[in-house]
Amino acid sequence: MWRRSLLALALLALSNRPASSEERAQTIFRNARDYTVRIRTQIVTPFIEDERGSFEGAGFLVDAARGWVVTNAHVVGQSPSTVQVAFADEDMRPARKLYVDSFTDVAILQVAMEGHRHRAAAVQCDRLPSIGEAVGVFGHPQGYSFTGTRGIISGKTDREIVDLLQTDATVDHGNSGGPMIALTDGRVVGIASAGYELRKEDKVNFATPMKDVCRILELLRNGVPAEPPVLEFGLVIDDKGSHTLEVGTTSDAERWPFLPGDKILSVGRPAEPVRTPHELVTVLRGRSGVVPIRVRRGGSEVEIQARPRLRPSVIARRAVVLDGALIAPLMVEDSTALREPAQLVVHSVESGSAAESMQLESLDVIESVDGRHYGDLDSLIQHLETRAKGAPSAWSLADSARAGLGGSIITWRSCLATRSRRSAQTRSCPRPIRASDP
């Protein structure tokens, strides 16, 4: 009798023991398989930030009711693209780009969830994982679908101005955009973003923390624009290569009345402390009008009144396509400090197009059309709309060495004829296309 009692007690103790770390990791990866998706993207007409082609990556469901999926911006692109997603053991279905960020590598997709039941991932919004904390990355590395890898948080960096988590868990082609998961509680702490192979045996992997992503999701749910502010001031870089919050210069003193040497401490009332440029951007998202910012100036703290403006929406970008050449304005952060901001330039040239045959190149600057300078896209579009269909048009272009970065989309197909070294004759056949279109 006593032997049966001891056996019962032993079985009860086994059933009540806490799950081991191995069992917990297995459960977490099993749950990740339910909320992680495969993403397939095709870009035909790219802006300067993207390349033409087909790409694959990962993403994860964050709002099952709305069908919102988080991924990397570089997985779906900043250009018009066809995007499809698939949950495990399901077919591909169309997805719509709801939001693409121009500061951090984040995009939000929307997919139809009718007839599909999937639980959204639990996300960690209010803290960063600690160095040494065990994490897993889930995605499709090198085409191996719905695969988990394990590692630890090995560091944190802001050398690229955005905050990134460093990990030894593998981030490879195919799992960019997938979840980085804390193996202690199963919450998503980051988006697997990039892997850099220094040597064959030495690879550094990075993930985007969820704090800024959570802020973007919060604003979108409330119907508030989530675009980051235009930072028309420069910050000092320290001897470690990291961006500090010490102001070096400002290119718009009316919007940002900083003085050189100001150290940014907090934003708003009540004050929200900031420690990195990325945290500053996060706090400024969704704010308009006058925003109080506290700085340390000399030996005392003072409050300045900033008037930030938001970056243009990536989804709403426009351009003009003429015989395979995509033309759009330059988008430069400190454009107010430039002599010729927002010039129209060639972003990309389609292979085999008439534009390529006439040697148009990326970053060629549009100096004039039919003898007139057009500094903005709207005036150029208006000019093209008023021209007779098929009428020849003279385009003057400058060498690409004069151009910088750029962006924008609406599209016209034209009929380019001949081009000398600095001018081209076109016959326009307008057909509009928008950036949010596939």
Side-chain angles (χ1 to χ4, degrees):
M1 184 65 145
W2 61 271
R3 289 181 179 176
R4 282 200 296 262
S5 299
L6 286 175
L7 179 60
L9 288 171
L11 290 173
L12 181 62
L14 284 172
S15 65
N16 289 332
R17 71 175 175 82
S20 68
S21 59
E22 291 300 317
E23 292 170 329
R24 187 163 55 245
Q26 291 172 18
T27 300
I28 287 169
F29 280 131
R30 191 160 49 245
N31 292 339
R33 179 180 170 84
D34 185 56
Y35 59 69
T36 302
V37 300
R38 286 188 299 134
I39 298 177
R40 186 177 297 159
T41 303
Q42 184 177 25
I43 298 175
V44 176
T45 310
F47 284 108
I48 204 165
E49 297 88 351
D50 297 323
E51 296 180 2
R52 181 179 291 104
S54 298
F55 312 95
E56 294 199 359
F60 53 98
L61 187 67
V62 292
D63 191 321
R66 291 179 171 90
W68 286 4
V69 168
V70 165
T71 186
N72 285 143
H74 79 259
V75 170
V76 296
Q78 297 193 27
S79 310
S81 56
T82 300
V83 182
Q84 295 178 302
V85 305
F87 288 92
D89 304 319
E90 294 182 14
D91 295 331
M92 285 283 176
R93 69 182 85 166
R96 179 176 72 90
K97 285 192 286 190
L98 180 72
Y99 177 83
V100 178
D101 199 70
S102 58
F103 176 78
T104 189
D105 192 10
V106 173
I108 314 295
L109 304 177
Q110 186 170 40
V111 298
M113 297 296 292
E114 291 83 0
H116 301 272
R117 290 187 177 181
H118 294 276
R119 284 185 297 177
V123 298
Q124 180 60 262
C125 294
D126 51 7
R127 77 168 186 90
L128 290 175
S130 303
I131 294 176
E133 186 170 335
V135 293
V137 172
F138 202 76
H140 325 290
Q142 300 292 352
Y144 291 95
S145 298
F146 300 97
T147 299
T149 58
R150 298 174 63 173
I152 61 168
I153 297 295
S154 50
K156 302 169 186 178
T157 181
D158 63 351
R159 285 196 177 189
E160 304 299 325
I161 204 166
V162 296
D163 293 341
L164 292 172
L165 302 171
Q166 186 178 327
T167 180
D168 60 352
T170 300
V171 178
D172 224 324
H173 299 293
N175 61 356
S176 287
M180 171 187 273
I181 314 162
L183 294 182
T184 52
D185 60 9
R187 290 182 175 273
V188 175
V189 296
I191 309 172
S193 298
Y196 298 106
E197 194 168 296
L198 307 176
R199 295 186 299 271
K200 189 172 183 181
E201 69 282 1
D202 188 11
K203 188 174 182 182
V204 182
N205 307 286
F206 296 99
T208 301
M210 286 302 295
K211 185 174 182 180
D212 195 28
V213 183
C214 291
R215 175 66 173 160
I216 291 170
L217 291 169
E218 176 191 7
L219 291 170
L220 292 176
R221 287 185 178 114
N222 292 329
V224 178
E227 277 73 27
V230 179
L231 300 180
E232 296 162 301
F233 54 89
L235 295 170
V236 174
I237 298 176
D238 64 20
D239 56 3
K240 302 174 186 175
S242 295
H243 288 77
T244 69
L245 285 175
E246 180 182 338
V247 177
T249 184
T250 178
S251 57
D252 191 336
E254 289 188 10
R255 290 188 180 276
W256 304 96
F258 294 122
L259 295 181
D262 282 353
K263 174 68 181 298
I264 301 171
L265 302 174
S266 63
V267 176
R269 294 197 197 101
E272 294 187 58
V274 292
R275 294 166 297 177
T276 67
H278 197 152
E279 288 186 2
L280 176 63
V281 169
T282 299
V283 172
L284 286 170
R285 289 183 187 274
R287 295 178 184 264
S288 59
V290 177
V291 178
I293 297 180
R294 292 199 68 80
V295 303
R296 181 176 293 114
R297 180 173 292 173
S300 59
E301 291 187 14
V302 299
E303 183 177 279
I304 67 165
Q305 305 299 314
R307 293 168 175 79
R309 62 188 176 96
L310 300 183
R311 291 187 184 187
S313 166
V314 172
I315 299 297
R317 302 175 88 179
R318 303 183 304 151
V320 171
V321 174
L322 295 164
D323 277 349
L326 187 146
I327 298 166
L330 282 174
M331 300 291 288
V332 183
E333 187 83 334
D334 55 353
S335 61
T336 54
L338 301 179
R339 290 183 179 180
E340 300 179 18
Q343 297 182 82
L344 296 175
V345 302
V346 175
H347 279 239
S348 63
V349 178
E350 187 176 349
S351 178
S353 66
E356 183 187 49
S357 70
M358 289 183 298
Q359 301 174 15
L360 269 70
E361 297 177 353
S362 176
L363 292 179
D364 275 353
V365 178
I366 310 303
E367 288 196 326
S368 67
V369 179
D370 295 329
R372 179 182 169 187
H373 173 73
Y374 292 93
D376 65 274
L377 191 66
D378 287 335
S379 59
L380 175 59
I381 291 170
Q382 186 176 16
H383 170 72
L384 293 175
E385 287 178 332
T386 58
R387 292 175 61 253
K389 184 176 181 179
S393 177
W395 291 68
S396 178
L397 300 96
D399 187 84
S400 60
R402 287 184 50 193
L405 298 177
S408 245
I409 217 166
I410 295 180
T411 300
W412 270 263
R413 303 288 178 195
S414 70
C415 317
L416 277 165
T418 60
R419 179 194 175 187
S420 65
R421 186 174 179 181
R422 292 183 57 81
S423 66
Q425 294 289 326
T426 72
R427 295 182 181 275
S428 295
C429 310
R431 182 171 66 87
I433 298 174
R434 296 194 174 274
S436 54
D437 293 342

